[in-house]
Amino acid sequence: MTVIGTSMSVFDLLESEVRSHCRSWPTVFDHARGSRLWSEERRRYLDFFAGAGSLNYGHGNPVLKRALLSYLERDGIVNGLDMATTAKRDFLTAFQDLVLGPRGLPYKVMFPGPTGTDAVEAALKLARKVKGREPVVSFTNAFHGMSLGSLAVTGNAFKRAGAGVPLVHGTPMPFDRYLDGRVPDFLWLERLLEDSGSGLDHPAAVIVETVQGEGGVNVAGPGWLRALADLCARHDMLLIVDDVQMGCGRTGPFFSFEDAGITPDIVTLSKSVSGYGLPMALTLFSPELDRWEPGEHNGTFRGNNAAFVTATAALHTYWADDELERRTVRLGNRVEERLSAMTREHHGLSHRGRGLVRGIEFEDPARAAAVCARAFERGLLVETSGPTGQVVKLLPPLTVRDAELDEGLDIIDRAVLATP
């Protein structure tokens, strides 16, 4: 019998080469609480990664943990597929009362499967079913997931190449400020839509992120989003907002599109919707789009009742008032001030973002990677994003303490200073 130790060697021996985050953070983590993780050697790390945005309320949130443990202790149903359960009913009621109702959003709720790419696949499938057309417009540097439909509307060449088959029925267009303001917004797309000789088959939908997290923390302005919504309405295309990473309060409001004053036809949510890092995803859409036949789209793990329990607790705890939203905006402004000072002091840097998603862009991608590595050495988890990994992305839990936020920013500042 082969005996394997507890060091990193077990992962090298048994796990696929596809793993990535463990290469950036070569330690074995053991437990976590709030904005902190501890390795098995008991070293403490501050987390500005937050499970890629799936832990907006921090690790092991005590309120959510108590709700989950209580539910499991009484033998509550864990996997209910799409059966009616008390846990699902409680979540739907809370979601309507605390999120949809107060915002005047009349969405139907669909549980498409456990991950963000499941929510996107359902959104694309529904849009094509409703409109009877196949093409979908996406944007440069977009990221919508790793399954084939989602990859077809993703911009990253490395991830697209992993599909191994042609990715079709997606048409990329320039994201906000992609052309540095030299061309009026949507000039090319509108011209293609109006010209019968353009060769563009009329799209069923447009899919967009209000902030492109994986694409480099590229922020779409409110005016640009309103213009996009208007263009979709005028040309009979559904507007899909992918809020998988930027929803659940990451930019301040529960939905990242609220500040723009638009109402998308379809919205996708995942990551922090469960609140505890448990797999859960939602596809939301206007009632008139609900053309599904029973069982036409399904999945074994779309009924993760444990996630429904923690999601309900998160809604009651953080979204019964606007305290978390106001705090996220305040902390976001604090980060903005620190990054502005940092980019003035250090050559070759710029920054951007909204709320508690922020990016520091480096002229040299190798420098961005080195900053993340030095930050890890100093006890901070932070990753890069963007097409060449040129952006250091800050994604702390929304519940991060003020002192912890300052501590992380201090570490980044020192890492930049030590990485010429």
Side-chain angles (χ1 to χ4, degrees):
M1 181 177 69
T2 302
V3 178
I4 303 174
T6 59
S7 69
M8 293 292 289
S9 62
V10 64
F11 305 102
D12 293 332
L13 180 64
L14 296 179
E15 194 176 359
S16 165
E17 293 300 314
V18 77
R19 65 194 188 281
S20 62
H21 291 111
C22 61
R23 301 180 191 278
S24 301
W25 306 321
T27 192
V28 179
F29 294 102
D30 180 67
H31 63 283
R33 183 171 60 252
S35 300
R36 306 278 185 181
L37 298 94
W38 282 262
S39 71
E40 64 178 355
E41 288 84 16
R42 300 185 181 179
R43 184 176 180 189
R44 187 176 67 166
Y45 293 87
L46 183 59
D47 187 5
F48 272 25
F49 175 64
S54 66
L55 294 165
N56 280 5
Y57 313 116
H59 295 270
N61 185 290
V63 177
L64 279 57
K65 179 167 63 177
R66 281 196 298 272
L68 177 60
L69 291 176
S70 176
Y71 182 77
L72 294 175
E73 182 65 27
R74 72 170 184 82
D75 293 328
I77 292 171
V78 173
N79 183 8
L81 287 84
D82 66 352
M83 295 184 291
T85 65
T86 55
K88 183 193 285 188
R89 182 177 61 200
D90 291 346
F91 169 74
L92 286 169
T93 301
F95 195 63
Q96 173 62 34
D97 291 348
L98 299 176
V99 176
L100 298 181
R103 291 161 179 80
L105 298 172
Y107 293 138
K108 298 291 289 291
V109 180
M110 176 182 178
F111 300 95
T115 70
T117 198
D118 292 313
V120 170
E121 293 285 358
L124 298 174
K125 189 173 175 180
L126 180 60
R128 287 166 171 143
K129 175 182 176 65
V130 168
K131 291 300 181 183
R133 303 190 294 266
E134 295 177 354
V136 172
V137 171
S138 58
F139 291 95
T140 50
N141 291 313
F143 178 79
H144 296 289
M146 297 299 288
S147 50
L148 292 182
S150 299
L151 279 177
V153 290
T154 287
N156 187 284
F158 174 73
K159 290 181 168 51
R160 288 176 62 88
V165 297
L167 297 172
V168 296
H169 309 309
T171 302
M173 288 290 160
F175 191 70
D176 193 11
R177 291 184 294 278
Y178 183 77
L179 299 174
D180 300 322
R182 292 171 295 176
V183 178
D185 293 336
F186 309 114
L187 175 64
W188 176 237
L189 177 54
E190 188 122 39
R191 187 70 57 85
L192 290 176
L193 290 168
E194 293 174 349
D195 183 2
S196 60
S198 69
L200 175 68
D201 292 330
H202 196 83
V206 174
I207 186 168
V208 67
E209 303 155 276
T210 65
V211 181
Q212 296 179 326
E214 299 305 307
V217 194
N218 306 310
V219 180
W224 188 86
L225 290 169
R226 286 191 291 271
L228 176 60
D230 177 68
L231 182 145
C232 287
R234 287 187 288 107
H235 290 280
D236 187 33
M237 302 181 296
L238 297 178
L239 176 60
I240 305 169
V241 169
D242 181 342
D243 237 4
V244 167
Q245 189 169 83
M246 297 304 150
C248 302
R250 177 53 58 181
T251 65
F254 187 89
F255 294 107
S256 69
F257 55 81
E258 292 182 49
D259 288 343
I262 63 174
T263 302
D265 299 293
I266 304 176
V267 180
T268 62
L269 286 175
S270 186
K271 290 197 182 285
S272 278
V273 71
S274 80
Y276 204 72
L278 299 176
M280 178 177 172
L282 305 176
T283 303
L284 313 175
F285 42 82
S286 302
E288 63 271 18
L289 302 181
D290 195 5
R291 310 279 184 84
W292 296 114
E293 296 292 335
E296 189 176 7
H297 188 95
N298 55 26
T300 302
F301 296 106
R302 65 197 184 280
N304 186 352
N305 282 245
F308 298 163
V309 169
T310 56
T312 302
L315 292 176
H316 284 295
T317 304
Y318 295 105
W319 296 101
D321 55 36
D322 65 352
E323 182 179 348
L324 180 67
E325 177 179 347
R326 289 187 288 106
R327 185 175 187 275
T328 299
V329 172
R330 176 178 66 81
L331 292 182
N333 291 336
R334 187 176 188 143
V335 177
E336 173 88 13
E337 293 172 1
R338 289 289 305 272
L339 296 187
S340 294
M342 194 182 303
T343 53
R344 286 194 300 268
E345 294 171 6
H346 302 292
H347 174 70
L349 277 67
S350 61
H351 70 93
R352 53 183 176 264
R354 281 179 59 197
L356 281 177
V357 52
R358 300 283 166 167
I360 310 168
E361 183 165 22
F362 292 78
E363 293 177 353
D364 181 4
R367 190 181 179 200
V371 166
C372 290
R374 290 185 181 276
F376 176 72
E377 293 169 0
R378 291 166 167 79
L380 176 70
L381 303 185
V382 66
E383 71 165 356
T384 61
S385 69
T388 60
Q390 80 278 18
V391 176
V392 173
K393 183 171 69 172
L394 314 184
L395 210 68
L398 306 184
T399 53
V400 65
R401 297 174 181 173
D402 289 37
E404 292 172 330
L405 188 65
D406 288 337
E407 177 188 344
L409 293 170
D410 288 343
I411 291 174
I412 292 171
D413 201 1
R414 292 195 297 271
V416 172
L417 182 63
T419 312

